[in-house]
Amino acid sequence: MAHAEKTVLLADHSKFGARSYYRLARTETLEAVITDEKPGADFVANLEANEVELLYGN
């Protein structure tokens, strides 16, 4: 990721808000998030604060 031109997270909606034993990346390192459903308001606000583009299905 450190050498990537653009870092994009692709995840289905069930992953948002879930706790895990590890962290792949911090929000501020992402350029975009692609998902199937719009995440909750807190997650969206975090993306907006870090200027991360959000793309989601209907």
Side-chain angles (χ1 to χ4, degrees), residues 4-6 9 11 14-15 24 29 32-33 46 51 53 56 58:
E5 188 173 316
K6 189 170 187 175
L9 172 66
S14 69
K15 305 301 185 274
L24 180 62
T29 65
V33 173
N46 186 20
E51 299 180 354
E53 182 179 11
Y56 60 91
N58 296 334

Side-chain angles (χ1 to χ4, degrees), residues 13-35:
H13 71 280
S14 69
K15 305 301 185 274
F16 301 117
R19 294 281 180 182
S20 181
Y21 292 108
Y22 60 93
R23 176 180 288 167
L24 180 62
R26 295 191 174 278
T27 306
E28 59 268 14
T29 65
L30 301 173
E31 301 221 14
V33 173
I34 302 172
T35 187

Side-chain angles (χ1 to χ4, degrees), residues 6 8-13 16 31-39 43-44 47 52-58:
K6 189 170 187 175
V8 178
L9 172 66
L10 176 63
D12 69 83
H13 71 280
F16 301 117
E31 301 221 14
V33 173
I34 302 172
T35 187
D36 59 339
E37 293 181 16
K38 187 175 181 178
F43 190 83
V44 172
L47 294 178
V52 178
E53 182 179 11
L54 174 61
L55 304 165
Y56 60 91
N58 296 334

